[in-house]
Amino acid sequence: MSNKTITCECGHVNPYGTEICEACGKPLQGDLESKKLLNMRYEGSARRSQTYKTTIVDKVWNFFSSVKVGIWIIVLLLVASALGTIFPQEMYIPPLSDPSEYYRDQYGIPGQLFYDLGFHNLYGSWWYMLLIAALGLSLIVASLDRFVPLYRSLRKQRTIRHESFMKRQKYFGITNIEGDKPSLSKVKEVLQNKRYNVREEDGHLFAEKNRFSRWGPYVNHIGLIIFLIGGMLRFFPGMYVDEVLWIKEDETRKIKGTEEAYYLKSDGFILETYDNNDEKFKDAIEQSGQEVVAKNYQTDAVLYKQVGDRIAGTEPELEKIKEHPIQVNRPLKFDDYAIYQVDYKLNELQSMTFTLDKKETGESFGELTIDLYNPEDEYALDEGYRVEVMDYFPDFEFNDKGEPTTKSKIPNNPAFILRMISPEHPDGEVAFVAIRQNLEPLGENEYKMSFQNVDTKNVSGLVVRKDNTLWILGIGGAIFMIGVVQGMYWNHRRIWVRRKDDELWIASHTNKNWYGLRRELESITEQTGIEMPQDQSEQK
Amino acid sequence: MAQLSSNLLYISFFIYFAASLVFAISLLGKKWRKSDEETHAKKWGRGGFILSTVGFLFQLGYFITRWIAAGHAPVSNLFEFTTFFGMTMVFAFLMIYVIYKSNVIGVFAMPVALIIIAYASVFPSEIQPLIPALQSNWLKIHVTTAALGEGILAISFAAGLVYLVKKVNQEKASKSTFWLEAVMYTLISTIAFVIISLSFEAAGYSSTYDFVDNNDQPATVEYTIPTLIGPTDATYVSGNEFGPLVDAPSWMKGEKAAQKLNTLVWSMLGGFVLYWIIRLILRKRIGAALQPAVKNVNEELVDEIQYRAVAIGFPVFTLGALIFAMIWAQVAWTRFWGWDPKEVWALITWLFYAAYLHLRLSRGWQGEKSAWLAVVGFIIIMLNLVVVNLVISGLHSYA
Ligand code: HEM
């Protein structure tokens, strides 16, 4: 960087590139006699991007510090985001469907195009990420480029301003002094009553208020940057846990994702629905055409923590931490974790009970209960009678070739091939047993399996979540809000009063809300007897 | 209580209507030459303001009594939310009026609020039970704050419209006159939509069709307005026997997709008819007919109001539609952000107003350009309310 500086006639040394002297406000560039209003943006201070334009670094800096570029980035993000909502994102299409077919089937050629362009996963795409990164970079560069010089100029400003500076403000007026009126001390008092910070020097005044509002945009940009950083941290290991936990009634399970080994027990899952005859809601429920409207999904959970180390092969020793009914909107929270109610299955099959009967007499030779999640190989019954499990299909169907297979490991439609061993048939008879189905694939049998009952349980679908980035996002969001409010709900107003022979000069500037400034000036001039300054931009 | 509540809403609707008229009279000073123009404007403006305030209090009464009747904040379905949005818009207008005393904003803002409330009346207004996901205080806080933000931003639309009506050169047709008429036409179509829906509903119109939906499952759909566009390969089952004149495109098999298209076409045709009736009566563009009324309006002030509304509304919108929304989403859906269409559209709205602020502040987009932006911003807000809720369904879809 160059060390060239500009020394103003008032003696203040300004950085190279300054347009308006930081101290006295004398325009340093252009014609002093010009009547054109001064460009007060950033106080005419020396911004790096306006001053240095040669090296690569300068060019990159200037590119990202440009608000024009910033706006383009915002607009591109906006358009991209909108495109992604034309059809559902991949995560919202029905699970198990194949996206390469789903979009075409559901939405025809536009759907196919949507998929081919990768818009089904738009918000995770590299170019969307790149746009967000560019936004972050632009925020940082643009803010630094402006904040530093602006801060310098506002700190260095002197009470007395150059005449040319005053004349070239939007609001400027001259009042003749007659006798003592208007008196400077009265003006000062009025300004102070309006909560201006008033400085006086040699019979000149400088009143300023709400300078802090000028930092608003920088504060809010810092908030945004913190927020973006927080969003990035999620991809670091250990910051973020997202696990699904299916848990049955009366079951105790290790909570996935918690290294300290927590355990969760379900004391039951409850589904409550609204009473369809409820006076209040009757009409709406009828109108909606739904048979029932859910009122509450709840898992009565007990949280345990493992004590000491677990010795392989033994049951862990557990200590109860707390009981909590997990409902939608009321997760169970512990340490950094939260467990949410998100899904459920009612009456999931757990076990099936059969008896082994002789067909002819109907006589029964023992009962067996098969745990559908963990069937044994063999069940011993009365003396001489046994049942062997030859094959098990938890979610039975016939495949393309007509062979029995299973769709999943969940016992939605359990089927067995069993060998029934009896004194008459020591080698056993083979039976195919499924729900409401009894086949004898290898010829007629003498014995049969008679279905007795099933045992079902409700299952809760829970999500285990840890998100250590939340507090950073919270801080970012809070800073952003403080920044926007600071910048939007207050305005930086300044009034300069200068005594020149028999004249009182007044000039005024605000960064926004000129209407408010005008009203304030009207009130001030009315109370002090100063002439209302003219809006010089209107006179042309 | 529920009955009282809906009566209060009706009353407030008519008071708002009266207030719109009174504001209009305040503008037409010349034609009511009893007093000089300034006192006339002051007098009628004060009247409009008082009426709007009274109407607002009635609507507040509706809100409170409905809350008591339902046992939860009445912002949980489309009817309630849209009504509330209209209410926040009136509130924002009152706020801006206190600051700027501008009658002309009332002439545009109050009718827009009226249209929004009328639009709400098309949705089922029974008091609904809350499904588990909606049972949260954060939801109330999120929805009310977001609606307030949108209400304030809507005032910038009203101000932008005033500016455009005044400034767009009506001497010859141009892109600007075309788009300004397009805005008018859209507002009129909304009115047409409300009239059509409510009249056929009152007449008890209904026809039912069977069709095969996108999952190759048989489905039934009930039309409550005559079927111009039916589901693909639909068979008529019962009810009024009319149409369909054409089938919806074959890929539009989503639940109620064809029905929504039918409603849209009806609204557009209805709007078209209404628009041309108005134009034939006026014998000029609606923009041109309104122009003389805003002749004396201080355009710089209107421009300032438009910016001020964004400046005040933007932080409120951010807080409600993004920050509180994220807090609620974290509690209810386990994650603060999920790229659900409604969330994305809140982000788009926010980005849009961010762009507006930067264009205005740094690139000097004031006056007409800025007014167009304010119009576009409002369109985005309405898209989020109408299209995203009704067409692009997601977690938030109130359907
Ligand atoms: C979505 C992201 C952004 C948001 C929400 C945002 C927000 C804001 C807000 C609220 C203001 C104050 C506006 C006013 O007072 O009227 C502002 C000012 C500003 N923003 Fe941003 N901004 C964003 C992105 C950017 C980017 C990418 C740039 C890069 C060029 C940028 C550069 C600026 C500048 C230069 C100012 C004016 C500062 C001043 O007056 O001293 N902003 N921003």
Coordinates of all heavy atoms in Angstrom, one line a residue, chain A residues 41-42 47 63-71 73-74 77 134-143 146-147 150 214 216-218 220-221 224 480 483-484 487-488 511-512, chain B residues 307 311 314 350-351 354-355 357-358 360-362, ligand 1:
Chain A
R41 N -21.9 9.7 1.2 CA -21.8 8.3 1.5 C -20.4 7.9 2.0 O -19.4 8.3 1.4 CB -22.1 7.5 0.2 CG -22.6 6.1 0.6 CD -22.8 5.2 -0.6 NE -24.0 5.7 -1.4 CZ -24.1 5.4 -2.6 NH1 -23.3 4.7 -3.3 NH2 -25.2 5.9 -3.3
Y42 N -20.4 7.2 3.1 CA -19.2 6.9 3.8 C -18.3 8.1 4.1 O -17.1 8.0 4.2 CB -18.4 5.8 3.1 CG -19.3 4.7 2.7 CD1 -19.7 4.4 1.4 CD2 -19.9 3.9 3.7 CE1 -20.6 3.4 1.1 CE2 -20.7 2.9 3.4 CZ -21.1 2.7 2.1 OH -22.0 1.7 1.8
R47 N -11.9 4.5 0.8 CA -12.1 3.1 0.9 C -11.1 2.4 0.0 O -10.8 2.9 -1.1 CB -13.5 2.8 0.4 CG -14.5 3.1 1.4 CD -15.9 3.3 0.8 NE -16.1 2.1 0.0 CZ -17.0 2.0 -1.0 NH1 -17.8 3.1 -1.3 NH2 -17.2 0.9 -1.7
F63 N -13.8 -6.7 -6.3 CA -14.9 -7.5 -6.8 C -15.9 -7.8 -5.7 O -17.1 -7.5 -5.8 CB -14.4 -8.8 -7.5 CG -15.5 -9.7 -8.0 CD1 -16.2 -9.4 -9.2 CD2 -16.0 -10.8 -7.3 CE1 -17.2 -10.1 -9.7 CE2 -17.0 -11.6 -7.8 CZ -17.6 -11.3 -9.0
F64 N -15.3 -8.4 -4.6 CA -16.2 -8.8 -3.5 C -16.7 -7.6 -2.7 O -17.7 -7.8 -1.9 CB -15.5 -9.8 -2.7 CG -15.5 -11.2 -3.3 CD1 -14.4 -11.7 -3.8 CD2 -16.7 -11.9 -3.4 CE1 -14.4 -13.0 -4.5 CE2 -16.8 -13.1 -4.0 CZ -15.6 -13.7 -4.6
S65 N -16.1 -6.5 -2.8 CA -16.5 -5.4 -1.9 C -17.6 -4.6 -2.7 O -18.3 -3.8 -2.1 CB -15.4 -4.5 -1.6 OG -15.3 -3.4 -2.5
S66 N -17.8 -4.9 -3.9 CA -18.9 -4.2 -4.7 C -20.3 -4.6 -4.2 O -20.6 -5.8 -4.2 CB -18.7 -4.5 -6.2 OG -19.9 -4.4 -6.8
V67 N -21.1 -3.7 -3.9 CA -22.5 -4.0 -3.6 C -23.2 -4.6 -4.8 O -24.1 -5.4 -4.6 CB -23.2 -2.8 -3.0 CG1 -24.6 -3.1 -2.7 CG2 -22.5 -2.3 -1.8
K68 N -22.8 -4.1 -6.0 CA -23.5 -4.7 -7.2 C -23.3 -6.2 -7.2 O -24.2 -6.9 -7.4 CB -22.8 -4.0 -8.4 CG -23.6 -4.1 -9.6 CD -22.9 -3.2 -10.6 CE -23.4 -3.4 -12.0 NZ -22.7 -2.5 -12.9
V69 N -22.0 -6.6 -7.0 CA -21.7 -8.0 -7.0 C -22.5 -8.7 -5.8 O -23.1 -9.8 -6.0 CB -20.2 -8.3 -6.8 CG1 -19.9 -9.7 -6.5 CG2 -19.5 -7.8 -8.0
G70 N -22.5 -8.1 -4.7 CA -23.3 -8.6 -3.5 C -24.7 -8.9 -3.9 O -25.3 -9.9 -3.6
I71 N -25.3 -7.9 -4.5 CA -26.7 -8.0 -4.9 C -26.9 -9.1 -5.9 O -27.8 -9.9 -5.8 CB -27.2 -6.7 -5.5 CG1 -27.3 -5.6 -4.4 CG2 -28.6 -6.9 -6.0 CD1 -27.5 -4.2 -4.9
I73 N -25.2 -11.8 -6.1 CA -25.1 -13.1 -5.3 C -26.4 -13.3 -4.6 O -27.0 -14.5 -4.7 CB -23.9 -13.0 -4.3 CG1 -22.6 -12.9 -5.0 CG2 -23.9 -14.3 -3.5 CD1 -21.4 -12.7 -4.1
I74 N -27.0 -12.3 -4.0 CA -28.3 -12.5 -3.3 C -29.3 -12.9 -4.3 O -30.1 -13.9 -4.1 CB -28.7 -11.2 -2.6 CG1 -27.7 -10.9 -1.5 CG2 -30.1 -11.3 -2.1 CD1 -27.9 -9.6 -0.8
L77 N -28.9 -16.5 -5.5 CA -29.3 -17.4 -4.4 C -30.8 -17.5 -4.4 O -31.4 -18.6 -4.2 CB -28.8 -16.9 -3.1 CG -27.6 -17.5 -2.5 CD1 -27.2 -16.8 -1.3 CD2 -27.7 -19.0 -2.3
A134 N -19.6 -17.5 -1.5 CA -19.4 -16.2 -2.1 C -20.1 -15.1 -1.3 O -19.6 -14.0 -1.1 CB -19.9 -16.2 -3.5
L135 N -21.3 -15.4 -0.8 CA -22.1 -14.4 0.0 C -21.3 -14.1 1.2 O -21.1 -12.9 1.6 CB -23.4 -15.0 0.3 CG -24.3 -14.1 1.1 CD1 -25.0 -13.1 0.2 CD2 -25.4 -14.8 1.9
G136 N -20.8 -15.1 1.9 CA -20.0 -14.9 3.1 C -18.8 -14.0 2.8 O -18.5 -13.1 3.6
L137 N -18.0 -14.4 1.8 CA -16.8 -13.6 1.5 C -17.1 -12.2 1.2 O -16.5 -11.2 1.6 CB -16.2 -14.3 0.3 CG -14.7 -13.8 -0.1 CD1 -13.8 -14.2 1.1 CD2 -14.2 -14.5 -1.3
S138 N -18.2 -12.0 0.4 CA -18.6 -10.7 0.0 C -19.0 -9.8 1.2 O -18.6 -8.7 1.3 CB -19.8 -10.8 -1.0 OG -20.3 -9.6 -1.3
L139 N -19.7 -10.5 2.1 CA -20.1 -9.8 3.3 C -18.8 -9.3 4.1 O -18.8 -8.1 4.5 CB -20.8 -10.7 4.3 CG -22.3 -10.9 4.0 CD1 -22.9 -12.1 4.8 CD2 -23.1 -9.6 4.4
I140 N -17.8 -10.2 4.2 CA -16.7 -9.8 5.0 C -15.9 -8.7 4.3 O -15.6 -7.6 4.9 CB -15.7 -11.0 5.2 CG1 -16.4 -12.1 6.0 CG2 -14.4 -10.6 5.8 CD1 -15.7 -13.4 6.0
V141 N -15.6 -8.8 3.0 CA -14.8 -7.9 2.3 C -15.5 -6.5 2.3 O -15.0 -5.5 2.6 CB -14.5 -8.4 0.9 CG1 -13.8 -7.3 0.1 CG2 -13.6 -9.6 1.0
A142 N -16.8 -6.5 1.9 CA -17.5 -5.3 1.7 C -17.6 -4.5 3.1 O -17.5 -3.3 3.1 CB -18.9 -5.5 1.2
S143 N -17.8 -5.3 4.1 CA -17.9 -4.6 5.4 C -16.6 -4.0 5.9 O -16.5 -2.9 6.3 CB -18.4 -5.6 6.5 OG -19.6 -6.1 6.1
R146 N -15.6 -0.8 4.1 CA -16.3 0.4 4.4 C -16.2 0.8 5.9 O -16.1 2.0 6.3 CB -17.8 0.3 4.1 CG -18.0 0.3 2.6 CD -19.4 -0.2 2.3 NE -19.7 -0.2 0.8 CZ -19.2 -1.1 0.0 NH1 -18.5 -2.1 0.3 NH2 -19.5 -0.9 -1.3
F147 N -16.2 -0.2 6.7 CA -16.2 0.1 8.2 C -15.0 0.9 8.6 O -15.1 1.9 9.3 CB -16.4 -1.2 9.0 CG -16.3 -1.0 10.5 CD1 -17.3 -0.4 11.1 CD2 -15.1 -1.3 11.2 CE1 -17.2 -0.1 12.5 CE2 -15.0 -1.0 12.5 CZ -16.1 -0.4 13.2
L150 N -14.9 4.5 7.5 CA -16.0 5.2 8.1 C -15.8 5.5 9.6 O -16.1 6.6 10.0 CB -17.3 4.4 7.9 CG -18.6 5.1 8.4 CD1 -18.9 6.3 7.6 CD2 -19.8 4.1 8.3
R214 N -25.0 3.9 12.7 CA -24.2 3.7 11.5 C -23.5 2.4 11.5 O -23.1 1.9 10.5 CB -23.2 4.8 11.4 CG -23.7 6.2 11.1 CD -24.4 6.2 9.7 NE -23.5 6.3 8.6 CZ -23.0 7.4 8.1 NH1 -23.3 8.6 8.7 NH2 -22.1 7.4 7.1
G216 N -24.9 -0.4 12.5 CA -25.9 -1.4 12.3 C -25.6 -2.4 11.2 O -25.5 -3.6 11.5
P217 N -25.4 -1.9 10.0 CA -25.1 -2.9 8.9 C -23.9 -3.8 9.2 O -24.0 -5.0 8.9 CB -24.9 -2.0 7.7 CG -25.5 -0.7 8.0 CD -25.5 -0.6 9.5
Y218 N -22.9 -3.2 9.8 CA -21.7 -4.0 10.0 C -22.0 -5.1 11.1 O -21.6 -6.2 11.0 CB -20.5 -3.1 10.4 CG -20.4 -2.0 9.4 CD1 -20.8 -0.7 9.6 CD2 -20.0 -2.3 8.1 CE1 -20.7 0.2 8.6 CE2 -19.9 -1.4 7.1 CZ -20.3 -0.1 7.4 OH -20.3 0.9 6.4
N220 N -24.9 -6.4 11.7 CA -25.8 -7.4 11.2 C -25.0 -8.3 10.2 O -25.2 -9.5 10.2 CB -27.1 -6.9 10.6 CG -27.0 -6.5 9.2 OD1 -26.5 -7.2 8.3 ND2 -27.6 -5.3 8.9
H221 N -24.1 -7.8 9.5 CA -23.3 -8.6 8.6 C -22.4 -9.6 9.4 O -22.2 -10.7 9.1 CB -22.4 -7.8 7.7 CG -23.2 -7.0 6.6 ND1 -22.7 -6.0 5.9 CD2 -24.4 -7.2 6.2 CE1 -23.6 -5.6 5.0 NE2 -24.7 -6.3 5.2
L224 N -24.5 -12.4 10.4 CA -24.7 -13.3 9.3 C -23.5 -14.2 9.1 O -23.6 -15.4 8.9 CB -24.9 -12.6 8.0 CG -26.3 -12.0 7.8 CD1 -26.4 -11.2 6.5 CD2 -27.3 -13.1 7.7
F480 N -27.3 -10.6 14.5 CA -27.9 -10.0 13.3 C -29.1 -9.1 13.6 O -29.3 -8.0 13.1 CB -28.4 -11.2 12.4 CG -29.2 -10.7 11.1 CD1 -28.5 -10.3 10.0 CD2 -30.5 -10.7 11.1 CE1 -29.1 -9.8 8.9 CE2 -31.2 -10.2 10.0 CZ -30.5 -9.8 8.9
G483 N -28.1 -5.9 15.0 CA -27.6 -5.1 13.9 C -28.7 -4.4 13.1 O -28.6 -3.2 12.8
V484 N -29.6 -5.2 12.6 CA -30.7 -4.6 11.8 C -31.5 -3.6 12.5 O -31.8 -2.5 12.0 CB -31.7 -5.6 11.1 CG1 -31.3 -5.9 9.7 CG2 -31.9 -6.9 11.9
G487 N -29.5 -0.5 13.0 CA -29.4 0.3 11.7 C -30.7 0.8 11.2 O -30.7 1.8 10.5
M488 N -31.8 0.2 11.5 CA -33.1 0.5 10.9 C -33.9 1.4 11.7 O -34.7 2.1 11.2 CB -33.8 -0.7 10.5 CG -33.1 -1.6 9.5 SD -32.9 -0.8 8.0 CE -33.1 -2.2 6.9
N511 N -28.4 9.9 7.6 CA -28.1 8.8 6.7 C -29.4 8.2 6.1 O -29.4 7.6 5.1 CB -27.2 7.7 7.3 CG -27.9 7.0 8.5 OD1 -28.7 7.7 9.2 ND2 -27.6 5.8 8.7
K512 N -30.5 8.4 6.8 CA -31.8 8.0 6.3 C -32.9 8.6 7.0 O -32.7 9.3 8.0 CB -31.9 6.4 6.3 CG -31.8 5.9 7.7 CD -32.2 4.4 7.7 CE -31.3 3.6 6.8 NZ -30.9 2.3 7.5
Chain B
Y307 N -40.2 3.0 1.7 CA -38.9 2.6 2.3 C -39.0 2.3 3.8 O -38.5 1.3 4.3 CB -37.8 3.6 2.0 CG -36.5 3.3 2.7 CD1 -35.8 2.1 2.4 CD2 -36.0 4.2 3.6 CE1 -34.6 1.8 3.1 CE2 -34.8 3.9 4.3 CZ -34.1 2.7 4.0 OH -33.0 2.5 4.7
A311 N -38.1 -0.8 6.0 CA -37.1 -0.7 7.1 C -37.7 -1.2 8.4 O -37.0 -1.8 9.2 CB -36.7 0.8 7.3
F314 N -38.8 -5.3 7.8 CA -37.7 -6.3 7.5 C -37.2 -7.0 8.8 O -37.2 -8.2 8.9 CB -36.6 -5.7 6.7 CG -35.5 -6.6 6.3 CD1 -35.6 -7.5 5.3 CD2 -34.2 -6.6 7.0 CE1 -34.6 -8.4 5.0 CE2 -33.2 -7.4 6.6 CZ -33.4 -8.3 5.6
W350 N -37.0 -13.0 2.3 CA -36.0 -12.3 3.0 C -34.9 -11.8 2.1 O -34.4 -10.7 2.2 CB -35.5 -13.2 4.1 CG -34.5 -12.7 5.1 CD1 -34.8 -11.8 6.1 CD2 -33.1 -13.0 5.1 NE1 -33.6 -11.6 6.8 CE2 -32.6 -12.3 6.2 CE3 -32.3 -13.8 4.3 CZ2 -31.2 -12.3 6.5 CZ3 -30.9 -13.8 4.6 CH2 -30.4 -13.1 5.7
L351 N -34.4 -12.7 1.3 CA -33.3 -12.3 0.4 C -33.8 -11.2 -0.5 O -33.0 -10.3 -0.9 CB -32.9 -13.6 -0.5 CG -32.1 -14.7 0.2 CD1 -32.0 -15.9 -0.8 CD2 -30.7 -14.1 0.6
A354 N -33.7 -8.0 1.3 CA -32.3 -7.7 1.5 C -31.7 -7.0 0.2 O -31.1 -6.0 0.2 CB -31.4 -8.9 1.8
A355 N -32.1 -7.6 -1.0 CA -31.6 -7.0 -2.2 C -32.3 -5.6 -2.4 O -31.6 -4.7 -2.8 CB -32.1 -7.9 -3.4
L357 N -33.1 -3.5 -0.1 CA -32.4 -2.5 0.8 C -31.0 -2.1 0.2 O -30.7 -0.9 0.2 CB -32.2 -3.1 2.2 CG -33.4 -3.2 3.0 CD1 -33.2 -4.0 4.3 CD2 -34.0 -1.8 3.3
H358 N -30.3 -3.1 -0.3 CA -29.0 -2.8 -0.9 C -29.1 -2.0 -2.2 O -28.3 -1.1 -2.4 CB -28.2 -4.1 -1.1 CG -27.8 -4.7 0.1 ND1 -28.5 -5.7 0.8 CD2 -26.7 -4.5 0.9 CE1 -27.9 -6.1 1.9 NE2 -26.8 -5.4 2.0
R360 N -31.4 0.0 -2.9 CA -31.9 1.4 -2.6 C -30.7 2.2 -2.0 O -30.5 3.3 -2.3 CB -33.0 1.3 -1.7 CG -33.7 2.6 -1.5 CD -35.0 2.5 -0.8 NE -35.4 3.9 -0.6 CZ -36.4 4.5 -1.1 NH1 -37.2 3.9 -1.9 NH2 -36.6 5.8 -0.8
L361 N -30.1 1.5 -1.1 CA -29.0 2.2 -0.3 C -27.8 2.5 -1.1 O -27.3 3.6 -1.1 CB -28.6 1.4 0.9 CG -27.8 2.0 2.0 CD1 -28.7 3.0 2.7 CD2 -27.3 1.0 2.9
S362 N -27.3 1.5 -1.8 CA -26.0 1.7 -2.5 C -26.1 2.0 -4.0 O -25.2 2.6 -4.5 CB -25.2 0.5 -2.3 OG -25.0 0.2 -0.9
Ligands
HEM1 C1 -28.5 -11.8 2.7 C2 -27.5 -11.2 3.1 C3 -27.5 -9.8 3.5 C4 -28.3 -9.1 4.4 C5 -29.5 -9.7 5.1 C6 -27.8 -7.8 4.6 C7 -28.4 -6.8 5.3 C8 -28.1 -5.5 5.3 C9 -28.9 -4.5 5.9 C10 -30.2 -4.7 6.7 C11 -28.3 -3.3 5.6 C12 -28.7 -1.9 6.1 C13 -29.5 -1.4 4.9 C14 -30.2 -0.1 5.2 O1 -29.8 0.5 6.2 O2 -31.1 0.3 4.4 C15 -27.1 -3.6 4.9 C16 -26.2 -2.7 4.4 C17 -25.1 -2.9 3.6 N1 -24.8 -4.2 3.1 FE1 -25.7 -5.9 3.5 N2 -26.7 -7.6 3.8 C18 -26.5 -8.8 3.1 C19 -25.5 -9.1 2.2 C20 -24.6 -8.2 1.8 C21 -23.6 -8.5 0.9 C22 -23.3 -9.8 0.2 C23 -22.9 -7.3 0.7 C24 -21.7 -7.2 -0.2 C25 -21.5 -6.4 -1.0 C26 -23.5 -6.3 1.6 C27 -23.0 -5.0 1.7 C28 -23.7 -4.0 2.4 C29 -23.3 -2.6 2.4 C30 -22.1 -2.1 1.7 C31 -24.2 -2.0 3.2 C32 -24.2 -0.5 3.5 C33 -23.4 -0.2 4.7 C34 -23.5 1.2 5.1 O3 -24.5 1.9 4.9 O4 -22.5 1.6 5.7 N3 -24.5 -6.9 2.2 N4 -27.0 -5.0 4.7

